[in-house]
Structure formats: C-alpha cells, structure tokens
Amino acid sequence: MDRRFILGAAAVAVPAALAAPALAQTQHPEIRWRLASSFPKNLDILFGGAEYLARRVAQMTENRFQIRCFAAGEIVPALQVLDALQTGTIECGQTSSLYYIGKDPTLAAFAAIPWGMNMRQMTAWMRYGGGNEIAAELYRDYNVVGIPFGETGTQMGGWFRKEIRGVDDLKGVKFRISGIAGQVFAKLGAAPTQIAASDIYPSLERGTIDAAEWIGPYDDEKLGFQRVAKYYYAPGFWDASSRGVFMMNNRAWEGLPDQYKHILEVACGEATLEMIARYDEANPKALRRLLAGGAQLKAWPREVLQAAWRATHELYEDTAAQNPRFRKMWTSYKAFRDEQFQWFRVAENAYENFAFVAAAQR
C-alpha cells in the first residue's frame, strides 16, 4: 500500500474530526419529548412558535433531540397544560402562565398583567430585574421549569356587541378575558369568564358571552370574531406585553444533558423573536381587512381607562397584603415598571407621539 496515501488520508481525517459537530463527538442521547400546547393549529403564528422551536432544537442536535407538538385538546385540554406537566403526563408544554391564576395570581406576572410593561421592559425585568428568579422559585412549587417563550406585543382590547361609552356600559357584560384582567373587569361591573380559543366564537355566536378578547387582528380575523361582534377596542391595557412560557416537567428537565438545556434556551429566544416579527408583519394587513369588512375600531373612553387604572392598583395592593409571593413579585415589578415608564417617556414615547401621528397625517 502507498504510504503517502495513508499519511494523506490521516491528514484529511484529523481536520474532519476537529470540524465534526460537538454533539456528534460527545454522543449525547436521543431524546423524544411530547409538547402539549394551549393553542389550536389554525393559529399558525402562535402554535407555529412551538413548531419553530421543535425544528430549531432538532437542527441544533442533529435530530437527536426531537419534540413532537400537539395542539390544544389533542393530549390535554388547552387550560390544563400545567396540570399535565405537574403529573408528568407530558414532558413539556407551550402555554401562558396567566391561565393558572387560580393556583396563584403571581403566575400572571410572567405573562401579562394590567397596566404592565411592554415587551422590551418585560425582557429587561425578567433578565436583569429579578423576574426570572421570582418565576423559577414559584414554578418549583408546581414541579416545573419555565423558559420565557413567545411574545405577541401589545394586544387589542377585544370585540363587543355593543358600544362602550363609559364604565356603566360594562355593567353585566359577559366578557371572555384571561388572567388578572378578569378580576379588574369584575371590579368595573363586568362578568368575566376564561375559555379556550376554540370555544370563543361559538360562545359569542350563541350569546353565552357578550364580548371577547384574544390577541390581535391576525388571530382575531382567523377566529371570525368580526362576524358576531362589530366594535373592536384598543388597546388591551392588560396586555402591553403578553409572554408565553415553555414549561417542562422538572424531572424531564433535570434528565437533559447541559448542552441540550442551553439549546432549549437559545431556541426559545429565537422563537420569541420569530413570533413577534410575524405578528408585527401580519397585524396591520389584517386590521385593514377587518375595517374594510365593517368592523368599527374604537378607543377605550378615558373614563374607563382611569377607572381600570384605579381598580387595578387597588387589586394589586389587596392581593399583596394577603399573598407573600405576590407581594414579593409586585414590589420588584412595580419599582422596575415605574422607572421604565419614566425613561420611555423621555425618548421612545416622545418620538412615537410625534412620528406616528405625523405619518398618519401625510
């Protein structure tokens, strides 16, 4: 055999081995997880976030870590994802922590609370203001680990069968709304209820509810709300940012190699940016279609906003007085929010107040 060929082959083999993906060299185990989502497949941006996450995890592990995504109701009902994770029925889930305020109202803070922070401010609080640590401490009580995952940006205020001219018009209104916002509207006289996305349209159509909020124009158009309620309110002051969460059963998380844990964190971050970018591109076009089809865009009356601000902060103080975990969260959250609000007034808000109006008047 030609000795030069052997040496040449060896010379080629060494760089090839060095260039081989780290995962292939370390031979991490093949893992198969099932993900239960709180959202239906027809909401392609929302449920699509889970599918995007699964693709990126597979790509970054050379298909050794695969996550199979199931829509709401395929394994567990939309609003029972956390319960299934606690018992280990599934390894992971895509959901919103605010769906579970019946367990502890503090859970809402890591998704969205009335008069809360916007996406950038929430990101800053979660990463550098103590939010992630407070969330992790609470999640441990429910046998889960959570990574922030998915973002809608500021949402709309919902669809109403009748026009809302003041606080009195909210009295007795059966309003589909999630999280702490439902408690705020109850203080304003409405009758809030929390139901899954797939049940909202038939409930509106039958008159079981009088109004409903979901996310924004793109999803709302897909769900058909404009066919059964014509008054479309803005903004969703209870959803200045609405952040999802990738939840995992604690045992499943602990069983992962560290590299897979890091990959999940990276993939969640990527999926969050992908989701907000898709919503920001799709919502303006959907809103134009809705208005062309007869929807009437309305701003909340100032009286309603002022009453909601007062009711919200009264509720926070009352809850904090009774719930030590909520008090710890709210002390941290409020201080961070108030400072962020003042800073954003200086540059962001000053720019937007002029430029957005000027562009609309051209």
Side-chain angles (χ1 to χ4, degrees), residues 35-330:
L35 178 151
S37 177
S38 288
F39 312 112
K41 287 182 178 177
N42 65 321
L43 298 183
D44 59 305
I45 296 180
L46 202 54
F47 183 75
E51 295 176 316
Y52 181 94
L53 171 75
R55 284 196 304 273
R56 291 298 290 130
V57 168
Q59 289 167 356
M60 288 188 279
T61 62
E62 296 188 315
N63 289 317
R64 299 185 72 82
F65 186 5
Q66 295 187 19
I67 299 173
R68 188 178 177 190
C69 301
F70 294 87
E74 291 184 339
I75 298 180
V76 295
L79 305 182
Q80 294 179 24
V81 171
L82 175 55
D83 301 275
L85 288 166
Q86 282 184 265
T87 59
T89 303
I90 50 175
E91 293 83 13
C92 60
Q94 176 199 26
T95 190
S96 175
S97 61
L98 61 74
Y99 291 153
Y100 311 105
I101 63 168
K103 299 178 184 293
D104 191 317
T106 314
L107 286 163
F110 316 116
I113 58 175
W115 303 112
M117 292 182 275
N118 67 20
M119 177 185 172
R120 283 174 51 195
Q121 295 162 348
M122 269 292 291
T123 300
W125 178 64
M126 293 293 286
R127 291 189 178 187
Y128 298 108
N132 278 333
E133 291 76 13
I134 296 171
E137 181 181 312
L138 182 55
Y139 288 151
R140 275 196 296 272
D141 287 351
Y142 299 97
N143 194 34
V144 296
V145 173
I147 302 174
F149 162 55
E151 172 67 56
T152 69
T154 302
Q155 296 186 6
M156 292 292 284
W159 297 84
F160 287 74
R161 290 179 176 276
K162 68 174 186 178
E163 189 172 358
I164 305 298
R165 297 184 176 87
V167 175
D168 287 344
D169 290 326
L170 291 170
K171 299 291 193 294
V173 171
K174 292 171 287 185
F175 188 16
R176 184 276 168 199
I177 188 168
S178 297
I180 290 176
Q183 298 175 7
V184 172
F185 273 89
K187 288 173 72 69
L188 299 181
T193 184
Q194 177 172 276
I195 55 179
S198 58
D199 297 324
I200 299 175
Y201 180 88
S203 297
L204 267 174
E205 188 177 41
R206 292 193 302 265
T208 307
I209 56 176
D210 306 308
E213 59 85 35
W214 180 243
I215 290 179
Y218 183 75
D219 282 352
D220 292 358
E221 181 185 38
K222 277 181 169 288
L223 294 173
F225 300 153
Q226 71 279 7
R227 297 196 293 270
V228 286
K230 68 178 182 178
Y231 297 107
Y232 197 22
Y233 278 84
F237 53 82
W238 51 93
D239 281 312
S241 163
S242 190
R243 183 144 308 187
V245 60
F246 179 72
M247 278 189 180
M248 296 156 284
N249 172 271
N250 187 64
R251 189 172 184 179
W253 168 257
E254 292 299 331
L256 290 177
D258 286 345
Q259 192 159 13
Y260 283 12
K261 292 179 180 178
H262 297 323
I263 284 169
L264 276 176
E265 291 167 348
V266 169
C268 283
E270 286 186 12
T272 297
L273 293 177
E274 173 75 4
M275 186 181 293
I276 191 63
R278 290 190 65 192
Y279 271 125
D280 283 345
E281 187 277 333
N283 277 329
K285 299 171 185 176
L287 181 58
R288 284 196 295 270
R289 291 192 297 268
L290 289 169
L291 297 180
Q296 295 188 30
L297 183 60
K298 297 286 184 178
W300 288 109
R302 188 166 182 80
E303 174 191 333
V304 170
L305 295 178
Q306 291 173 330
W309 177 272
R310 290 193 299 271
T312 296
H313 290 85
E314 289 170 1
L315 178 64
Y316 290 160
E317 296 304 322
D318 290 344
T319 306
Q322 301 169 29
N323 184 323
R325 284 200 186 279
F326 190 92
R327 180 166 61 251
K328 180 178 180 179
M329 175 281 297
W330 179 233

